[in-house]
Amino acid sequence: WTRKPAYWVYANFYGNFPGKELVSVDADAGLDALAARSPGGSGAELALWVSNWTGTSYPDHGFSIENYPEAEARVLVFDNLSSRSPVARLTASGSPLSFSYSIPANSSLTFEITPPLPGAPGLGPPGIACLLLALLWSTLRLLSRRSAPRTQR
């Protein structure tokens, strides 16, 4: 049994939009867009759904978010037609908050925009050190599993 693209469309929509308030969004001709933010708090959690129903791709398409409460954000990109796993991880910055991503022809993407994690990579030496330690730890665990003696039943 193979999950069809329609399954992933619903999974991505319900994974990113319930409980959020819709906000205004402008999109280029050929692109349909929907944006929503988390209510209350700082409003720094934003979901942006972009569908390209044309046969034209938009290479390095620029996104700009007005009135975002932070100067930097993490952006997870989801392919709405294939899975709930991120296909890309980006950083957005500036005022207005800006980032770019290539939008393929006949595609549908969700951009999940959140404030950066404290000490995350890209935030200076502490973040890089944490990332390196995490990679080292996971590699050691993998190696220990491979070299552990196996018993047969």
Side-chain angles (χ1 to χ4, degrees):
W1 182 74
T2 304
R3 291 183 173 148
K4 303 293 183 194
Y7 171 86
W8 295 115
V9 168
Y10 289 111
N12 279 296
F13 183 82
Y14 288 108
N16 286 303
F17 284 89
K20 289 193 167 77
E21 300 171 339
L22 295 179
V23 294
S24 65
V25 62
D26 292 323
D28 292 350
L31 298 177
D32 290 331
L34 175 70
R37 67 182 174 128
S38 294
S42 68
E45 292 181 6
L46 181 70
L48 175 62
W49 183 287
V50 178
S51 293
N52 179 4
W53 302 107
T54 71
T56 304
S57 63
Y58 292 80
D60 294 321
H61 185 70
F63 293 89
S64 179
I65 302 166
E66 299 285 337
N67 301 316
Y68 190 77
E70 305 282 338
E72 188 175 43
R74 294 180 308 141
V75 181
L76 297 179
V77 184
F78 298 88
D79 181 343
N80 294 331
L81 304 177
S82 67
S83 82
R84 268 293 296 147
S85 298
V87 295
R89 297 171 193 276
L90 313 170
T91 300
S93 61
S95 182
L97 192 70
S98 301
F99 66 96
S100 64
Y101 190 78
S102 295
I103 302 173
N106 303 308
S107 66
S108 182
L109 304 168
T110 294
F111 298 88
E112 184 180 283
I113 302 156
T114 58
L117 294 174
L123 297 179
I128 294 169
C130 289
L131 176 63
L132 292 175
L133 285 173
L135 289 172
L136 177 62
W137 176 250
S138 63
T139 304
L140 290 173
R141 288 183 61 205
L142 178 64
L143 289 174
S144 68
R145 287 184 185 165
R146 285 187 172 179
S147 62
R150 297 182 184 204
T151 58
Q152 293 188 1
R153 298 178 189 224

